[in-house]
Amino acid sequence: MHSMDRRAKMRIVRGILLAVTAVCLFFLAQAALSSHRQRQQQRILQEMRENAMKAVESREPLEPQETVPSAVPEETPSPTAVPEETPSPTATPEPVMLEKYADLYRENSDLVGWLSIEGMVIDYPVMQCEDDEYYLHHDFYGQDSKYGCLYVRNRADVNTPGTNFIIYGHNMKDGSMFGDLDLYRRESFFQEHPVICFDTLYEERTYEILAVFRSQVYNSDDDVFRYYQFYEAQTQEEFDDFYENIKELSLYDTGVTAEFGDSFLTLSTCAYHVEDGRFAIVAKKLPH
């Protein structure tokens, strides 16, 4: 009787273990499938951008048209003729979208730019919409996604020269999005990857890394420096407060300096050294 009880118990234990194993394998398969789909979608977006760039580069420049002198002398305008209106010297021309982003913008008009770091997997579109939480949980095509997209908050104006704007992204375990950003904890990695490229829809920009640091999201009543609340320095004092704090927090000296009037790009993702931890990189815009 006792032997039969033991065998029954063993069967129950084996059944439980098999069920647990099946559940674990199911979630692992779901994670692998989700990761594959995310990589596939990003590859498609990257190829759209690369193909547009190749098309622009391969296009032959237009040859200058030969001017043929007219056989008929131009008429002298009469004194009563109304002169053509000349454009106002203060009129600002409309910006022209870079051709490499036209197709992507047609796919989703929330696109505001593209972020890439040579030698890293970071090579993604950057999004913006009225709901600051939307692209935490949705992909480029608006489908639910734990990967989300890289995005800037609604208040950020990436097209107007300003002091700072912040790009947010998930710290994914498979290294996608900003999952590899914390590689910059090592100074040797920074030395190999000191430059960040960020294009708006209208301008190609390059930034050099100024500071690399850990921080966190603080309580509203904490009297501390909050890098994620800094967008614009109206005065030298406001600039100095931001600059001195990020330099003090930096894990190492990058050797890059800045002064009032410079523009910054900040990359921000989650970190796990403290509750609500953050890992951030601040880079300075280089002149064209």
Side-chain angles (χ1 to χ4, degrees):
M1 179 68 69
H2 291 296
S3 177
M4 291 179 63
D5 288 344
R6 283 197 297 271
R7 286 199 295 271
K9 288 179 180 178
M10 288 299 295
R11 284 196 295 270
I12 292 172
V13 170
R14 283 197 295 270
I16 292 172
L17 290 174
L18 285 171
V20 170
T21 302
V23 170
C24 290
L25 289 174
F26 172 78
F27 283 113
L28 286 172
Q30 287 286 90
L33 180 60
S34 178
S35 178
H36 173 72
R37 286 174 175 169
Q38 190 274 337
R39 289 196 303 271
Q40 188 177 42
Q41 182 184 111
Q42 294 304 326
R43 188 158 51 246
I44 291 171
L45 297 175
Q46 290 163 4
E47 287 175 357
M48 287 178 64
R49 175 175 178 263
E50 289 167 5
N51 290 338
M53 291 169 64
K54 290 175 182 176
V56 173
E57 291 170 359
S58 63
R59 190 177 303 150
E60 293 184 3
L62 295 175
E63 295 183 2
Q65 297 293 320
E66 184 179 352
T67 304
V68 179
S70 173
V72 180
E74 296 182 359
E75 294 183 2
T76 304
S78 65
T80 58
V82 179
E84 294 183 3
E85 292 186 5
T86 56
S88 169
T90 59
T92 303
E94 286 292 322
V96 178
M97 185 179 296
L98 298 172
E99 289 187 51
K100 58 183 170 180
Y101 298 118
D103 289 342
L104 287 165
Y105 185 78
R106 279 191 285 269
E107 292 284 334
N108 188 340
S109 59
D110 285 344
L111 177 73
V112 293
W114 192 283
L115 180 76
S116 61
I117 302 177
E118 187 175 357
M120 298 185 69
V121 299
I122 297 174
D123 189 20
Y124 300 117
V126 179
M127 316 301 289
Q128 183 182 46
C129 68
E130 292 183 1
D131 180 1
D132 286 338
E133 303 296 314
Y134 184 80
Y135 283 108
L136 277 172
H137 313 292
H138 293 84
D139 64 19
F140 182 85
Y141 293 102
Q143 301 298 314
D144 289 341
S145 169
K146 68 177 183 178
Y147 291 85
C149 287
L150 302 187
Y151 71 96
V152 295
R153 295 189 182 277
N154 185 43
R155 67 174 292 184
D157 187 349
V158 299
N159 295 313
T160 302
T163 308
N164 184 49
F165 64 95
I166 308 169
I167 298 178
Y168 296 92
H170 284 305
N171 185 350
M172 302 304 296
K173 290 182 180 179
D174 65 0
S176 60
M177 310 316 287
F178 278 165
D180 283 349
L181 201 64
D182 61 0
L183 291 172
Y184 277 101
R185 288 179 299 176
R186 303 197 311 268
E187 185 174 0
S188 59
F189 188 84
F190 152 74
Q191 291 171 346
E192 295 170 358
H193 306 82
V195 173
I196 298 171
C197 295
F198 175 70
D199 293 349
T200 69
L201 297 180
Y202 307 100
E203 179 187 13
E204 296 176 335
R205 298 176 180 175
T206 305
Y207 296 78
E208 59 179 349
I209 294 174
L210 180 71
V212 175
F213 57 91
R214 288 171 168 169
S215 186
Q216 66 185 94
V217 177
Y218 294 98
N219 296 323
S220 58
D221 56 350
D222 291 338
D223 184 19
V224 290
F225 169 68
R226 296 177 174 84
Y227 75 91
Y228 48 84
Q229 291 185 346
F230 178 73
Y231 284 86
E232 188 70 39
Q234 301 290 348
T235 65
Q236 179 78 51
E237 184 180 4
E238 291 174 345
F239 176 88
D240 289 345
D241 179 68
F242 176 76
Y243 179 68
E244 290 167 7
N245 272 287
I246 62 172
K247 277 297 194 179
E248 183 177 346
L249 287 171
S250 190
L251 299 177
Y252 44 82
D253 182 7
T254 64
V256 178
T257 59
E259 58 186 25
F260 184 49
D262 283 334
S263 295
F264 301 131
L265 167 68
T266 299
L267 310 183
S268 178
T269 192
C270 292
Y272 306 102
H273 57 289
V274 294
E275 185 177 359
D276 286 331
R278 294 293 184 270
F279 185 77
I281 292 175
V282 178
K284 180 184 74 170
K285 184 175 182 290
L286 295 173
H288 289 295

